[in-house]
Amino acid sequence: QIIGADQQHNDLDADAIKKAVTGFANRKRAREIWGDAWIKDQDGIGACQGYASASAVERARWLRGQVEVKLSGDFAYALVNGGRDNGSQLANGLRACQETGYAPESTPGLVRWEYRLSRMPAAAKEAAKRFRGFEGDVATTEAGLYSGLAQGFVGVIAVHVAGQYSRLDRHGIS
């Protein structure tokens, strides 16, 4: 999913993408803009969609010149997981962000690494109304993803993994 502008991006051709990402001497890589302080830790629960989506909205807000507000990946995950720690889909998270919004991490009573919506404080649901997401655009091709990123959108990519993901082979590869 691509989160950022209130409009859909247009796919660029390969030359336009290359020009967009290499044509500016002062262009910075995402890692240079958003360092370690922007990385969220889901601590082993299946909340990667929630954490990624909350991070994407934080970054999209920041790119628009809005004040940085850390949003809760746990709240984002709880909105769509049906009360079970069994993962969730990006499209469901995007929809929840647009309809409900994401609560700030600083919301009173919000507990870290809680994945059940029933245990979220009422204050979180109220605070989330202030942080509804932008219209997103789903990239269905690699070129579509590159086009969106080249045009300044914030991208979220899902990588579905099983329990053995953390087990590395003799070459250090998962």
Side-chain angles (χ1 to χ4, degrees):
Q1 82 191 23
I2 306 274
I3 297 178
D6 293 326
Q7 60 197 28
Q8 292 188 341
H9 74 276
N10 295 315
D11 281 0
L12 304 174
D13 63 31
D15 289 335
I17 292 170
K18 186 173 182 177
K19 182 178 179 186
V21 298
T22 61
F24 303 100
N26 62 347
R27 184 176 172 94
K28 293 184 179 181
R29 294 175 181 263
R31 182 56 111 170
E32 294 173 289
I33 298 169
W34 298 294
D36 291 347
W38 287 81
I39 297 172
K40 295 183 178 294
D41 177 10
Q42 71 193 59
D43 196 38
I45 61 174
C48 53
Q49 173 281 127
Y51 278 66
S53 295
S55 291
V57 174
E58 289 173 7
R59 293 168 194 221
R61 287 175 40 82
W62 185 85
L63 286 169
R64 290 176 144 218
Q66 296 178 348
V67 174
E68 179 184 346
V69 175
K70 295 293 184 190
L71 300 174
S72 172
D74 301 303
F75 183 81
Y77 180 47
L79 288 174
V80 298
N81 68 13
R84 296 178 318 278
D85 183 22
N86 197 28
S88 57
Q89 299 296 312
L90 290 177
N92 294 341
L94 176 60
R95 200 169 18 263
C97 184
Q98 292 169 342
E99 294 171 1
T100 304
Y102 293 157
E105 288 179 355
S106 62
T107 303
L110 199 62
V111 178
R112 188 92 158 92
W113 299 307
E114 175 56 62
Y115 60 86
R116 292 164 287 215
L117 190 58
S118 63
R119 295 195 179 179
M120 295 290 167
K125 295 171 188 167
E126 190 60 33
K129 293 176 183 177
R130 293 183 34 234
F131 299 95
R132 288 191 177 113
F134 305 105
E135 289 293 322
D137 190 13
V138 176
T140 58
T141 66
E142 198 171 332
L145 174 64
Y146 295 157
S147 294
L149 294 173
Q151 294 175 69
F153 285 75
V154 176
V156 177
I157 300 170
V159 178
H160 295 273
V161 298
Q164 295 298 316
Y165 182 76
S166 297
R167 180 177 242 159
L168 305 180
D169 69 12
R170 63 185 177 93
H171 302 290
I173 306 295
S174 174

